[in-house]
Amino acid sequence: MRKVNFLFIVLFSFFAAQVSAQTDLPTSKPLKIDKVNPVNSSGTPSSGSVLNMPNLIKEQPSLDMNSKNPVKMLPDEELVQAGTGMKIDPKVGPGERLNGSGQYFPDQYLGDVKSSGKFIGIVCRDHEYVDGDRVKIYMNDMVVEHNLLLTGAFKGINVDLQDGFNRLDFEALNHGSSAPNTAQVDVYNDKGELIYSNKWLLSSGSKATLIVTKESM
């Protein structure tokens, strides 16, 4: 009886050891892999549990330079001729110029006139483009008008005459905004009668000279 009990204990211990050994080993479960759903060409993922990425590669532009509209790396810019849209006043320009010719106008002799009066009246005006021409007037080397601005209307002075020859000089102080200095000059006797009329074209610094002879009564 005692042998039977001992044998039973041994068998039970051996069976318990086997069960314990089996429970200590890790168990593994088979991984179930579902079939991947295809992605359509429009980039819209189909339904399913698996994450589908849309197609990120788009159609590339053609690099054929012979094509009608080749690929351009920079934005279009319309090039125009230099100076387009620039407005230049032909009456304005540096230097001594007449219509861009660069012509210089030296001293000018206006001629001579006779008068028996005690004085004469001298009037001047800019007979062309009024652009700020100014003159200085001399009578027998004496300044009788320092700075006369020539406008479209006549302006001037009266000067006394000496017996014999009297020299009138008109010095161009500038040529305004358009060369040359231009003016019409008229001379009246002491009775208000027009006895002389002429015009000048002068560069800045040049002089127009008129000789007035006083006749004896």
Side-chain angles (χ1 to χ4, degrees), residues 3-199:
K3 291 182 179 182
V4 174
N5 289 338
F6 177 77
L7 181 60
F8 176 77
I9 294 172
V10 172
L11 292 176
F12 179 79
S13 298
F14 178 76
F15 179 76
Q18 288 291 106
V19 172
S20 176
Q22 290 179 359
T23 56
D24 290 340
L25 293 177
T27 59
S28 60
K29 296 182 179 180
L31 179 63
K32 181 180 180 181
I33 300 177
D34 294 336
K35 182 179 179 180
V36 178
N37 295 323
V39 179
N40 57 38
S41 59
S42 63
T44 303
S46 59
S47 60
S49 60
V50 179
L51 178 63
N52 294 317
M53 297 298 292
N55 185 9
L56 299 180
I57 302 177
K58 298 181 180 179
E59 183 179 357
Q60 298 298 318
S62 173
L63 298 179
D64 184 8
M65 299 305 294
N66 295 323
S67 62
K68 185 176 180 180
N69 297 313
V71 176
K72 297 179 181 180
M73 302 302 293
L74 298 176
D76 291 336
E77 294 184 2
E78 298 296 334
L79 299 180
V80 296
Q81 183 67 26
T84 299
M86 181 182 296
K87 297 181 179 179
I88 301 176
D89 185 355
K91 300 294 292 182
V92 178
E96 303 292 337
R97 297 185 178 274
L98 176 62
N99 297 327
S101 64
Q103 184 176 356
Y104 175 75
F105 295 86
D107 293 347
Q108 182 178 349
Y109 180 63
L110 298 176
D112 60 87
V113 62
K114 296 179 180 181
S115 176
S116 59
K118 294 182 179 181
F119 65 91
I120 56 174
I122 305 167
V123 293
C124 305
R125 71 179 180 92
D126 194 335
H127 68 285
E128 291 189 357
Y129 183 75
V130 179
D131 58 345
D133 291 342
R134 294 179 292 109
V135 294
K136 182 186 292 188
I137 304 176
Y138 301 82
M139 181 64 166
N140 296 323
D141 295 327
M142 298 285 295
V143 178
V144 293
E145 175 59 48
H146 288 83
N147 192 342
L148 179 64
L149 176 64
L150 300 177
T151 64
F154 281 104
K155 296 192 302 183
I157 58 173
N158 294 332
V159 293
D160 293 332
L161 293 176
Q162 299 178 0
D163 291 338
F165 296 100
N166 295 269
R167 175 171 173 164
L168 277 171
D169 291 310
F170 303 88
E171 180 184 2
L173 297 178
N174 67 344
H175 53 69
S177 61
S178 175
N181 185 301
T182 57
Q184 175 184 346
V185 55
D186 290 351
V187 178
Y188 293 84
N189 61 19
D190 56 358
K191 297 178 182 179
E193 299 171 341
L194 178 64
I195 60 175
Y196 177 85
S197 181
N198 206 341
K199 299 176 182 178

